[in-house]
Amino acid sequence: MNMEKHIKRLLCLGLILVIVSTTAGCTRQTAENSGSQIVPTDNLPIGSEVTDPELERLWQEYIYDAIYTIGNTWEFHSAEEIDPAAVARFCWQKYQEENGTDKLQKVSEEDLSLLFPLADAQKYAERYFNLTALDVSKITDYYKPEKQAFVFSPHIEKCKPRHTTANAWGTKLDKVMKTNDGTLTVAIEYYSDSRVDSRQTFSLKERADGSFYFVDGRREFIDNHLVTLTGNVKEFREIEGFSGDLQEISMVGEAEGKLLLVYTPYNESQSGALMLLNPNEMRIEKSVSLSSRIESTDVRFTDNRLIVRSKDKVLVYSRDLEVQSEISLPNVITEKMVREQKYDQMGLTDVFFGGYDISSDLCQIVYTDEIGVKLVTLQDGKEKLLAKTIAPKVSEPSRGAPITPSYHFSPRFVADDKKVITTLSAYEWTAGFTLCDLDKGTNTKYEIITEGSLATGGIRYDTGLLFVNQYWYDERGAEKNRNTDGYITTFLDFHSGQVSEIELSEPGDTGYIRFDDQSYIGQNYAAFATSKRSDGGRANDRHYLNRINLQTLRLEQEIVSIAATDIHILGVLEDGRIIFWYQYNPAEKGIGLTAER
């Protein structure tokens, strides 16, 4: 159940590292502004404009570090409304600038992150935000209560870029105004494709000693009308009755024309929910909060009921979102989840838990651990090993990757509960899939490698798995001097166990990691997105929706196209309609529903 969170964190960490690595130091060239739209500054308060050298001092001490920390809170009217984790990260930067990191303790010998004492963070929070106390109760990922300290990685920019030069965040300092009462209003412009994409303002109050502290901030996005949508599509601005992030909802099924959604917010202080969506009106008709925190992969719709898997029990809901029953997990599974992990010299753990699933009749549970795939009969508690963990092949070259076992994770009952499929782990990707036939007592391995995907964790319907533009290499062909690699699209049928190749006449771009919301496998149809990116920036990129009939594997390509932003597929209805969303920025976004097949 933690595999989805782990993958997301790895992807987020990778994105952060990429952004930070683009910072080139103090010799940046001035950003090119040709052809850009300039946002009016009429809303700035009347006063005098701050100029250098004072402007550069303010940029270095206050503004630059605010952009990528507290700037992620898009609107606040007091320091108490800012994400406290962002405040702590801003304070962390200031502490490092003044003190370095030599006196700080490491989290452990294995973890090189540092402990930033709460007491020190409080001093900087008072100086820069006038906060007498930092509410750490709202911080889940970066704070250790038992240590009374935050956990951050060291990062000191020896020389920040000047306000007149380009920076890693694509921003330009427009102007800083100072009113007679000493209030500073900072105006920052964010650029994308040589256009102003958004405008951010910060307000700071001046103390008697000449120092400042943040009191207000907001970010306003601009609709530059770049997105164009073509095809037989009904467009909606938003989902009525839902105010959260569309990235945090998933379609898990369909009942009598209504879509069953699960809402799993990234913010751990918020509650998840099950929802009923009327797709014709794009309106939430019912929402039921979940008491325990789950991942989107923990919900399945089968036999006209929703099954929600949590850490200690299974909840069964009707298609009207009413609780029908509750099943406690056997101790053999709950005990596996809470075991203490120990690590060897390579940082590898000696225990593993890869999640569980329950059969449609609620009589059997399958789970995975460091031993392999195990089937438990709930009535008598008997356990059966279906497939063993795959031992590492020491003789094969590792290419710098640690040599580890290939664990099974995200087990799922498929083929009318007659089979179990799992994903096989590997270093930074997956190593394939194992399909266990419960009647025959056999298992088959499919060497289909994926990156960026939850794989079997993302199964919604008992049909199959679709792999679009996956890299393929044939070792046998190399021996006969044939073409040995390329990109192919295949479909793995759960019932037959066969893998069929689907030829794409328009495959679009290849060679990049595809994420789960770029495809969806429904009951009768599957949909996937392809892209043709331009060297001229996002505004000239084209993205397409494609549909497959799962009975015949007949393909319809590019039934919908959209310019300037990616397509995110929410789901596919039984009649072939595809529901998707797009967002260039929060001011230019929408939801689409294609016509019936």
Side-chain angles (χ1 to χ4, degrees):
M1 295 174 62
N2 294 324
M3 186 60 62
E4 178 180 11
K5 182 185 291 184
H6 178 65
I7 292 175
K8 286 179 179 176
R9 284 179 175 173
L10 284 177
L11 294 172
C12 290
L13 177 61
L15 178 59
I16 291 171
L17 291 174
V18 169
I19 292 175
V20 171
S21 68
T22 61
T23 305
C26 302
T27 58
R28 305 260 177 155
Q29 297 298 314
T30 303
E32 304 253 346
N33 297 327
S34 59
S36 63
Q37 293 184 342
I38 303 301
V39 178
T41 57
D42 298 341
N43 293 328
L44 294 178
I46 298 175
S48 58
E49 184 173 352
V50 180
T51 57
D52 284 330
E54 176 66 6
L55 183 60
E56 181 62 27
R57 186 188 74 81
L58 293 172
W59 170 262
Q60 294 288 332
E61 183 173 358
Y62 298 94
I63 304 170
Y64 178 75
D65 291 321
I67 291 172
Y68 61 91
T69 55
I70 66 171
N72 291 321
T73 300
W74 288 351
E75 185 169 2
F76 62 91
H77 302 286
S78 69
E80 288 78 8
E81 295 180 5
I82 306 174
D83 178 2
V87 173
R89 189 169 288 281
F90 181 95
C91 296
W92 169 234
Q93 292 302 121
K94 297 305 166 188
Y95 176 91
Q96 292 178 98
E97 290 173 10
E98 295 183 1
N99 304 281
T101 59
D102 293 341
K103 297 181 180 179
L104 298 179
Q105 294 181 353
K106 292 189 295 185
V107 174
S108 66
E109 290 301 321
E110 296 81 15
D111 189 343
L112 299 181
S113 299
L114 300 176
L115 295 173
F116 178 37
L118 175 61
D120 290 326
Q122 292 281 189
K123 296 176 184 178
Y124 288 91
E126 185 170 6
R127 183 197 302 182
Y128 288 99
F129 300 95
N130 212 35
L131 287 171
T132 56
L134 196 56
D135 186 4
V136 295
S137 65
K138 298 179 181 179
I139 303 176
T140 56
D141 292 334
Y142 303 105
Y143 185 71
K144 284 187 175 294
E146 70 277 10
K147 298 286 188 179
Q148 290 284 290
F150 297 94
V151 178
F152 291 130
S153 298
H155 173 64
I156 304 176
E157 287 191 68
K158 294 182 179 180
C159 192
K160 299 176 186 176
R162 294 177 58 84
H163 77 85
T164 55
T165 59
N167 56 68
W169 323 112
T171 64
K172 174 180 176 292
L173 181 60
D174 182 25
K175 64 176 61 178
V176 176
M177 303 295 293
K178 187 173 185 180
T179 58
N180 293 333
D181 65 357
T183 299
L184 287 179
T185 301
V186 179
I188 301 168
E189 293 174 339
Y190 286 73
Y191 283 80
S192 177
D193 293 329
S194 300
R195 299 175 178 84
V196 177
D197 176 73
S198 62
R199 180 183 180 83
Q200 190 166 46
T201 58
F202 293 117
S203 295
L204 298 89
K205 287 286 188 181
E206 186 177 20
R207 296 188 179 94
D209 63 1
S211 64
F212 294 90
Y213 59 94
F214 290 90
V215 294
D216 185 88
R218 66 185 57 81
R219 186 171 176 181
E220 298 175 345
F221 289 84
I222 300 165
D223 186 352
N224 286 310
H225 303 287
L226 298 176
V227 177
T228 57
L229 195 62
T230 59
N232 194 352
V233 179
K234 186 177 181 181
E235 295 184 61
F236 301 85
R237 174 65 181 173
E238 60 186 11
I239 296 177
E240 182 183 342
F242 178 73
S243 59
D245 191 333
L246 289 174
Q247 296 181 83
E248 300 173 337
I249 60 174
S250 304
M251 176 180 158
V252 297
E254 179 183 358
E256 296 183 344
K258 304 297 173 62
L259 307 189
L260 299 159
L261 308 180
V262 57
Y263 169 54
T264 51
Y266 297 147
N267 189 334
E268 294 186 6
S269 65
Q270 298 177 356
S271 299
L274 300 175
M275 301 184 294
L276 274 179
L277 172 70
N278 182 329
N280 299 317
E281 300 177 8
M282 208 56 67
R283 174 170 52 87
I284 298 295
E285 295 190 343
K286 188 175 183 179
S287 180
V288 175
S289 296
L290 297 170
S291 58
S292 60
R293 184 166 180 80
I294 63 168
E295 304 291 345
S296 64
T297 54
D298 295 327
V299 182
R300 183 162 64 102
F301 183 62
T302 179
D303 287 351
N304 275 324
R305 55 190 177 186
L306 280 163
I307 295 176
V308 180
R309 300 180 292 267
S310 68
K311 292 182 179 180
D312 59 350
K313 60 188 174 184
V314 174
L315 288 171
V316 181
Y317 289 81
S318 68
R319 62 187 183 185
D320 296 323
L321 309 187
E322 300 292 336
V323 177
Q324 290 183 331
S325 61
E326 181 178 308
I327 302 171
S328 297
L329 290 180
N331 292 336
V332 67
I333 296 179
T334 56
E335 290 172 357
K336 291 288 177 71
M337 295 185 193
V338 297
R339 291 177 296 173
E340 181 181 359
Q341 292 183 329
K342 297 179 181 179
Y343 298 87
D344 61 18
Q345 295 179 347
M346 296 292 295
L348 303 176
T349 180
D350 60 338
V351 298
F352 176 81
F353 183 78
Y356 76 94
D357 192 20
I358 189 167
S359 59
S360 300
D361 60 8
L362 309 178
C363 293
Q364 293 180 304
I365 287 181
V366 62
Y367 75 95
T368 67
D369 63 6
E370 66 275 9
I371 304 299
V373 187
K374 298 178 179 179
L375 183 70
V376 179
T377 304
L378 293 179
Q379 185 175 3
D380 55 18
K382 290 183 178 180
E383 186 173 277
K384 179 180 180 181
L385 181 64
L386 300 180
K388 294 181 180 180
T389 294
I390 299 176
K393 296 179 181 179
V394 182
S395 60
E396 292 185 354
S398 65
R399 298 176 183 175
I403 300 174
T404 64
S406 188
Y407 295 114
H408 300 269
F409 67 92
S410 297
R412 294 294 182 266
F413 284 99
V414 295
D416 299 322
D417 289 354
K418 295 179 181 180
K419 297 178 182 179
V420 168
I421 191 168
T422 69
T423 306
L424 289 166
S425 68
Y427 183 70
E428 295 186 339
W429 57 81
T430 65
F433 304 88
T434 297
L435 190 62
C436 304
D437 191 311
L438 302 183
D439 292 335
K440 297 179 180 179
T442 60
N443 58 74
T444 305
K445 181 183 176 183
Y446 298 86
E447 295 185 352
I448 303 173
I449 297 174
T450 62
E451 294 180 90
S453 170
L454 301 173
T456 52
I459 293 174
R460 300 303 183 192
Y461 287 90
D462 190 11
T463 48
L465 289 174
L466 179 66
F467 309 98
V468 178
N469 286 336
Q470 290 292 323
Y471 179 75
W472 166 80
Y473 177 76
D474 185 1
E475 295 181 349
R476 295 169 299 180
E479 300 173 358
K480 299 178 181 179
N481 296 319
R482 295 194 314 230
N483 185 25
T484 59
D485 66 350
Y487 293 90
I488 62 173
T489 296
T490 56
F491 179 73
L492 168 58
D493 188 293
F494 294 150
H495 295 266
S496 68
Q498 294 182 347
V499 177
S500 302
E501 182 177 349
I502 301 172
E503 186 175 347
L504 305 186
S505 59
E506 295 290 343
D509 295 338
T510 58
Y512 63 91
I513 296 176
R514 296 181 60 88
F515 296 104
D516 285 290
D517 62 0
Q518 291 179 293
S519 63
Y520 189 98
I521 302 94
Q523 181 62 46
N524 300 317
Y525 296 88
F528 63 93
T530 52
S531 300
K532 296 176 183 177
R533 301 187 185 275
S534 164
D535 294 333
R538 291 174 62 195
N540 297 312
D541 292 348
R542 303 294 299 187
H543 306 272
Y544 303 91
L545 265 180
N546 309 271
R547 181 166 51 205
I548 300 173
N549 183 318
L550 293 178
Q551 304 302 317
T552 62
L553 296 186
R554 181 177 177 271
L555 173 66
E556 300 171 85
Q557 286 219 249
E558 300 184 356
I559 59 174
V560 171
S561 69
I562 186 170
T565 188
D566 293 321
I567 292 174
H568 305 270
I569 302 173
L570 183 57
V572 181
L573 283 67
E574 292 182 9
D575 59 15
R577 287 182 292 170
I578 305 168
I579 180 172
F580 65 96
W581 61 274
Y582 61 88
Q583 178 171 304
Y584 184 85
N585 65 30
E588 195 166 358
K589 61 181 182 179
I591 300 166
L593 182 65
T594 67
E596 290 184 29
R597 174 64 185 93

